[in-house]
């Protein structure tokens, strides 16, 4: 995905702040130059929710973005691979610009405006 700003959002179906922020994230990314920014939702749901419950959850909300399930339950393993500062709480967001090496990690909930500003820094 060279030449793109990638926004990875780590979330789960049981996380109310995660669910609340995702529509704003989709809106923020859609309002920017869509061919330069991609939102990728990474579910950290338990294995028993994948794929049936997770897919139904996403379809019900009509989220039209890349959605993946993280097939790893050991947060002590995967969190530091995403960012060494990640304590494991969600929502969490990693923004990467594949062209210039920009990288920022946020362990907090985003509004559409706040995400647009964070993406603008990456652009």
């Amino acid at each position: 995905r060279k030449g793109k700003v990638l926004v990875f959002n780590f979330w789960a179906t049981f996380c109310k702040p995660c669910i609340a922020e995702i529509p704003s994230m989709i809106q923020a990314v859609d309002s920017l130059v869509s061919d330069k920014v991609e939102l990728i939702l990474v579910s950290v749901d338990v294995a028993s929710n994948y794929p049936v419950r997770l897919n139904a959850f996403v379809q019900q909300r009509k989220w039209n973005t890349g959605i993946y399930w993280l097939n790893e339950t050991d947060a002590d393993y995967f969190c530091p691979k995403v960012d060494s500062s990640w304590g494991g709480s969600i929502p969490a967001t990693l923004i990467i610009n594949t062209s210039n090496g920009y990288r920022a990690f946020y362990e907090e909930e985003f509004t559409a405006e706040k995400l647009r500003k964070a993406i603008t820094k990456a652009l």
Side-chain angles (χ1 to χ4, degrees):
R1 294 184 172 130
K2 193 156 179 66
K4 285 195 173 213
V5 172
L6 303 175
V7 179
F8 295 92
N9 177 258
F10 297 87
W11 69 288
T13 58
F14 56 81
C15 172
K16 289 187 182 204
C18 300
I19 296 162
E21 82 172 346
I22 290 173
S24 296
M25 296 184 100
I26 293 170
Q27 176 191 18
V29 169
D30 286 351
S31 72
L32 296 165
V33 182
S34 61
D35 64 332
K36 296 217 183 268
V37 182
E38 184 177 349
L39 175 62
I40 301 165
L41 301 177
V42 182
S43 168
V44 296
D45 271 87
V46 295
S48 61
N49 283 353
Y50 182 79
V52 175
R53 185 167 188 269
L54 180 61
N55 288 343
F57 188 90
V58 168
Q59 287 175 356
Q60 180 183 24
R61 284 157 182 78
K62 298 179 182 164
W63 292 343
N64 58 343
T65 191
I67 298 180
Y68 298 86
W69 174 65
L70 182 62
N71 185 14
E72 175 58 61
T73 58
D74 184 357
D76 290 335
Y77 173 76
F78 72 78
C79 286
K81 292 193 177 296
V82 173
D83 192 86
S84 61
S85 70
W86 189 11
S89 67
I90 51 174
T93 303
L94 174 64
I95 301 174
I96 299 172
N97 185 325
T98 60
S99 296
N100 63 17
Y102 178 90
R103 186 180 198 286
F105 180 76
Y106 304 86
E107 199 168 0
E108 60 191 70
E109 189 175 347
F110 273 98
T111 62
E113 183 58 31
K114 189 173 181 179
L115 182 60
R116 271 192 291 274
K117 287 179 182 177
I119 292 170
T120 300
K121 285 182 189 177
L123 289 169

